[in-house]
Amino acid sequence: MSFQSMRMCAAGLAVAVLSVAAPARAQVVTFTDLRDAVPGKFFDADPAHTRAGAPNTLDIAFENNEFKASTIAPLLSPAPTRNAMDTISFNVNAPAGYYVSSIAYHQKGTGTILRTARALGASSWVVGGQPANLGFFNHNPSELIGTTTYTNPGPTVVPVSITTGLFVSETLGDATLELTSATVVVTVAPLSPDDPNDKKTATIVVSGYTGTYDGAAHGATGSATGVNGEDLTHLLDLGDLFTDAPGGTATWTFSGDTNHNAATGTAAITINPTDAAIAVSGFIGPYDGAPHGATGTATGVKGVDLFHLFRFGESFTDAPGGTAHGTFGGNANYNEAAGAAAITINKATPIVTWPEPAAITAGTALTATQLNATANVGSVNVAGTFVYDPPEGTVLTATQTLSVAFTPADAVNYTGATDTVTITVTANAGMQIIDPGLQTNVVGDEVRLRLRVTGSSRRSASGDDRRRGEWAAAGLPPGLQMEEDGEIRGRVTTVGTYPVVVTFTRNGITASAQFDWTVLSRSAKRGRG
């Protein structure tokens, strides 16, 4: 059984350090740990797109350089109200000897509405742990501006997150919102040389983590280096560890010392779900009246049993079976999967049970006593039709082989079967019916055929013989019947050839005779004449 995993993957968020070559006075900030809260929404955290432009300026990009809300709420959508929200985060790092004196955000956009549609939006940000609204717009997000300022001695590292939400609704019409640009501009100022807090800024490099779930804890990694190259990593706390997908955000802190400023920031820990080890088998076997389906196992990292997340699909009882469509539900740490397994149910072959019949006397016709086969599969008696050769009513004169062909009533789940037995026919030392031979008549003929018995009495079948025995006949042409005295009488009425079996029973002994009786039409007789 082949399974193909169904995955939802998010690109790993690697720490990005964005910088521009510093001028002689080294007053250029760096933007680090750039990350997007919802990859693929509308902010674009790819360092190839969101990057430093002019010194101390971060140009923020959007997915495909635009976000149009009309693509979320198209004209006459069955869901006429939609909204979207995304957050982009980063750290602003002042150069050595400087602090961040101001951070300004400038966002521009356009918007249109048609008829009864509405287009709304709002932006906010958190700067250095302090939240603030950037503004709200109705219909046209033309321009939003926000500024945060610091005085000496200000922070040397400032974490920033910017959140923008867009909302559209349309009863009848269309609404479009497009964010065209977003820019962060930073200014710095020198730390006062007379200030006791005039500390240096350590070089801190922190990286997040991106990988697949492996059952182990993962967190940020990094180092801290002083202005004189000394290792200050022991002052760096890298924050929380994460084991399960999707991971989380590790908040790191640098405690600083007498010569270096404290700092803080975040790093993305991205743990993607992995594939479970799935082994599934179908079924091949004969019909037994029980349902059959797929079987298998699902095993996760470190041998954990994930069988409870597996659904094996359909089960089948009748031949030829079918296909079981199984699904593995997955969870936060394991990808979903789906596949199919063949359930093959073959027809069962009955076993024909036919006891060898007891010996009979020559001249005895076959009855259900001898023709008594059954068909079984295990303890189940299989219904169907038995066709015997020779058939019931046949008069046997010598030992011979009897055969039977069984046809099941349920041809979907059972095959046919055959069997043979040998029946012993002993010579009849007593009475016998004298074979009258082939009889031929024409429709309308008056018939009188007397049958006689020999071998048990000197008397004929008339007289005492008739009174002391019982005659019977099967298969006579229509219009004829067997009388008590052993005479077949009547007027034939129907054209055809009739195999006739007659029996005579006396004192528990039965004698039989078999012959054909042909009835012709009168026109046929004239034609033959």
Side-chain angles (χ1 to χ4, degrees):
M1 177 178 186
S2 175
F3 276 69
Q4 180 176 1
S5 295
M6 305 182 294
R7 301 177 181 173
M8 178 183 295
C9 298
L13 303 179
V15 172
V17 178
L18 308 175
S19 63
V20 177
R25 290 183 294 175
Q27 298 178 6
V28 178
V29 302
T30 57
F31 300 95
T32 62
D33 202 16
L34 184 66
R35 55 203 181 279
D36 181 8
V38 187
K41 182 69 78 169
F42 51 85
F43 280 127
D44 183 356
D46 187 342
H49 302 144
T50 294
R51 58 183 181 271
N56 299 344
T57 300
L58 179 66
D59 294 325
I60 298 175
F62 302 97
E63 295 285 350
N64 301 319
N65 295 324
E66 65 180 8
F67 174 78
K68 292 187 176 181
S70 61
T71 62
I72 290 182
L75 183 63
L76 299 182
S77 167
T81 300
R82 300 289 172 84
N83 58 72
M85 181 176 292
D86 199 3
T87 299
I88 191 167
S89 304
F90 50 89
N91 292 331
V92 178
N93 304 274
Y98 289 82
Y99 69 91
V100 177
S101 59
S102 71
I103 301 176
Y105 178 66
H106 193 181
Q107 175 182 293
K108 291 183 178 181
T110 62
T112 60
I113 60 173
L114 176 65
R115 302 179 72 176
T116 61
R118 296 186 65 197
L120 307 172
S123 295
S124 62
W125 66 348
V126 179
V127 182
Q130 299 299 315
N133 289 325
L134 290 169
F136 171 83
F137 55 84
N138 184 356
H139 166 52
N140 189 356
S142 58
E143 190 170 28
L144 293 178
I145 299 175
T147 302
T148 297
T149 61
Y150 298 95
T151 58
N152 187 54
T156 60
V157 178
V158 181
V160 178
S161 64
I162 301 168
T163 300
T164 294
L166 303 177
F167 171 85
V168 292
S169 66
E170 40 88 4
T171 305
L172 180 63
D174 192 15
T176 301
L177 292 178
E178 181 178 355
L179 301 183
T180 57
S181 67
T183 304
V184 176
V185 179
V186 181
T187 64
V188 296
L191 291 165
S192 171
D194 300 327
D195 195 302
N197 294 319
D198 184 7
K199 298 181 181 181
K200 305 302 180 182
T201 299
T203 300
I204 301 172
V205 179
V206 176
S207 299
Y209 170 83
T210 298
T212 56
Y213 172 78
D214 60 4
H218 297 279
T221 57
S223 63
T225 306
V227 293
N228 295 318
E230 64 270 38
D231 185 3
L232 302 178
T233 304
H234 64 282
L235 300 176
L236 183 62
D237 183 346
L238 293 171
D240 296 331
L241 300 176
F242 299 88
T243 300
D244 296 326
T249 299
T251 300
W252 59 265
T253 58
F254 178 72
S255 60
D257 58 15
T258 57
N259 297 317
H260 297 87
N261 294 303
T264 186
T266 59
I269 310 302
T270 302
I271 300 176
N272 297 313
T274 189
D275 294 332
I278 300 173
V280 177
S281 300
F283 172 83
I284 299 177
Y287 171 80
D288 60 4
H292 296 280
T295 57
T297 60
T299 306
V301 172
K302 298 182 178 179
V304 62
D305 186 0
L306 301 176
F307 181 83
H308 63 285
L309 297 175
F310 205 93
R311 300 294 179 267
F312 288 102
E314 304 89 338
S315 59
F316 301 87
T317 300
D318 295 329
T323 301
H325 298 88
T327 58
F328 177 74
N331 57 23
N333 293 323
Y334 295 94
N335 295 307
E336 295 179 351
I343 309 302
T344 303
I345 298 176
N346 299 314
K347 292 183 178 182
T349 300
I351 296 176
V352 175
T353 301
W354 191 3
E356 187 169 304
I360 60 175
T361 303
T364 301
L366 293 174
T367 67
T369 300
Q370 295 81 34
L371 309 181
N372 59 346
T374 60
N376 301 274
V377 173
S379 61
V380 177
N381 184 271
V382 182
T385 303
F386 296 88
V387 176
Y388 295 93
D389 183 24
E392 184 175 356
T394 301
V395 176
L396 301 184
T397 59
T399 297
Q400 67 180 79
T401 299
L402 309 180
S403 65
V404 64
F406 172 72
T407 300
D410 181 359
V412 171
N413 293 312
Y414 295 100
T415 65
T418 61
D419 197 12
T420 60
V421 296
T422 299
I423 186 168
T424 301
V425 179
T426 60
N428 189 343
M431 62 185 179
Q432 295 183 359
I433 298 176
I434 298 174
D435 186 354
L438 175 65
Q439 302 293 307
T440 302
N441 289 99
V442 175
V443 171
D445 282 354
E446 183 74 27
V447 173
R448 295 179 70 91
L449 174 64
R450 180 176 294 280
L451 300 174
R452 299 182 181 277
V453 177
T454 63
S456 64
S457 172
R458 295 180 181 178
R459 300 184 181 184
S460 68
S462 60
D464 279 351
D465 288 348
R466 175 181 64 78
R467 289 190 295 273
R468 294 170 56 191
E470 181 178 346
W471 287 94
L476 289 172
L480 303 183
Q481 64 181 12
M482 170 67 77
E483 301 296 338
E484 292 181 356
D485 59 0
E487 185 172 86
I488 298 173
R489 295 196 289 265
R491 187 183 299 275
V492 291
T493 62
T494 306
V495 173
T497 298
Y498 304 90
V500 178
V501 177
V502 294
T503 60
F504 178 72
T505 302
R506 182 171 57 201
N507 297 329
I509 299 175
T510 299
S512 301
Q514 183 175 1
F515 59 94
D516 289 338
W517 201 316
T518 301
V519 179
L520 304 173
S521 66
R522 292 197 174 276
S523 59
K525 181 179 180 181
R526 287 195 298 270
R528 292 174 64 184

